[in-house]
Amino acid sequence: MAPENQSTVTMFILQSFVDDPWIQNALFCFFFALFMVAIVGNVLIITTIHRSPSLHTPMYFFLDNLALMDVISTVTVLPKVLQSLVTENTISYRGCLTQMFIFSWVLSSELLLFSAMAYDRYLAICRPLHYGTLMSGKACVALAIFVWFTGALNSLVLTCLVLPLSFCGPNLISHFFCEIPSVLMLSCSPTFINDIMTVIADMFLSGLNFLLTMTSYGFIIASILRIRSAEGKKRAFSTCSAHLIVVTLYYSTVLYTYVRPALGTAGILDKAIAVLYTTVTPSLNPLIYTLRNKEFKTSFKKLLFPH
């Protein structure tokens, strides 16, 4: 329950996708499948990396962190999505703030992690002789701590800025989970500071990190093109192309979502875009990062069939 001097609304209703029962059932099956793929796939990645000494390298260390973030994101958002397709989906004021904080934390951290992963690939391909020194175990841990801490700090600031706002009705959130832009639209108080801080955070986390990631891959592609052997080029491109696809999809959709409220809402399009980075990407990451990776597949087979 929210304090009375802070909010008169103590319960929010999360809007469902559609009212048609048949489409709701189809969407329930679709999202449940994504939920299972995301959870099982990412848990298998974490387990395989932790139990395979050959995968204890910087690249897999960051992939391990990415898989953990995807599990947290999926567990935070998808259960409520499934509930909204079965019955009226309500969430308490505190529950909404909690969901908002956790998801924003993971989202911010993942955007930063993609830059760290791009930097790791840049060092591995462009500066292989110095890779072991520059990307040591301590450097990897320091980068991971920075990623998680900065993401948490950003989320804490944005969530705390919501606390002084008044919500006097309506209490229907036009979204399938509590995300900062959609919650701010229900505030009876001025949200100018919130809107400015949200856009600034998004431009830094999405815009700047996307620029850094693309810069890293610019150097990587230039370095790959100088490789003489066709097999070497193929292997290098295979390692980086999957990461580049995920990064582009993730950054572009997040940037759209958090800048969009300043331009007005697009209804179902906003939800469709949000589905991409809240449910589809966590489900695709295990497939994209592992199916084309011979080293991971070998370790995974050894884990399943030890003898």
Side-chain angles (χ1 to χ4, degrees), residues 126-179:
C126 300
R127 305 188 64 183
L129 297 179
H130 302 91
Y131 180 68
T133 303
L134 294 173
M135 198 54 74
S136 63
K138 289 183 178 179
C140 290
V141 171
L143 268 175
I145 291 173
F146 172 78
V147 162
W148 284 96
F149 176 78
T150 306
L153 182 62
N154 173 72
S155 181
L156 183 63
V157 170
L158 295 179
T159 304
C160 285
L161 285 174
V162 176
L163 294 176
L165 300 179
S166 296
F167 296 91
C168 51
N171 66 338
L172 176 63
I173 299 176
S174 57
H175 207 357
F176 54 85
F177 73 107
C178 288
E179 194 170 22

Side-chain angles (χ1 to χ4, degrees), residues 230-240 295:
E231 183 62 29
K233 287 183 179 180
K234 182 180 178 182
R235 183 176 179 182
F237 270 120
S238 177
T239 303
C240 299
E295 192 176 22

Side-chain angles (χ1 to χ4, degrees), residues 248-258 273-274 276-277 281:
T248 303
L249 175 66
Y250 205 76
Y251 279 125
S252 58
T253 52
V254 171
L255 189 62
Y256 168 89
T257 297
Y258 283 80
I273 294 294
L276 290 177
Y277 64 84
T281 302

Side-chain angles (χ1 to χ4, degrees), residues 147-216:
V147 162
W148 284 96
F149 176 78
T150 306
L153 182 62
N154 173 72
S155 181
L156 183 63
V157 170
L158 295 179
T159 304
C160 285
L161 285 174
V162 176
L163 294 176
L165 300 179
S166 296
F167 296 91
C168 51
N171 66 338
L172 176 63
I173 299 176
S174 57
H175 207 357
F176 54 85
F177 73 107
C178 288
E179 194 170 22
I180 291 172
S182 55
V183 172
L184 291 180
M185 293 175 67
L186 298 182
S187 174
C188 301
S189 309
T191 60
F192 178 76
I193 298 298
N194 303 73
D195 294 334
I196 292 298
M197 290 300 294
T198 301
V199 171
I200 290 175
D202 188 46
M203 294 305 295
F204 169 72
L205 292 169
S206 295
L208 180 59
N209 278 285
F210 182 66
L211 181 62
L212 291 173
T213 301
M214 291 300 104
T215 301
S216 295

Side-chain angles (χ1 to χ4, degrees), residues 216-275:
S216 295
Y217 276 102
F219 285 113
I220 289 171
I221 292 171
S223 180
I224 290 173
L225 293 175
R226 289 195 294 267
I227 297 176
R228 293 185 178 182
S229 68
E231 183 62 29
K233 287 183 179 180
K234 182 180 178 182
R235 183 176 179 182
F237 270 120
S238 177
T239 303
C240 299
S241 59
H243 181 205
L244 200 55
I245 292 170
V246 173
V247 164
T248 303
L249 175 66
Y250 205 76
Y251 279 125
S252 58
T253 52
V254 171
L255 189 62
Y256 168 89
T257 297
Y258 283 80
V259 172
R260 176 73 192 180
L263 307 175
T265 180
I268 192 66
L269 177 61
D270 291 345
K271 291 182 182 179
I273 294 294
V275 165

Side-chain angles (χ1 to χ4, degrees), residues 289-301:
Y289 282 102
T290 58
L291 287 182
R292 299 173 63 186
N293 189 315
K294 292 181 180 179
E295 192 176 22
F296 182 89
K297 286 191 287 187
T298 301
S299 296
F300 181 62
K301 288 178 182 177

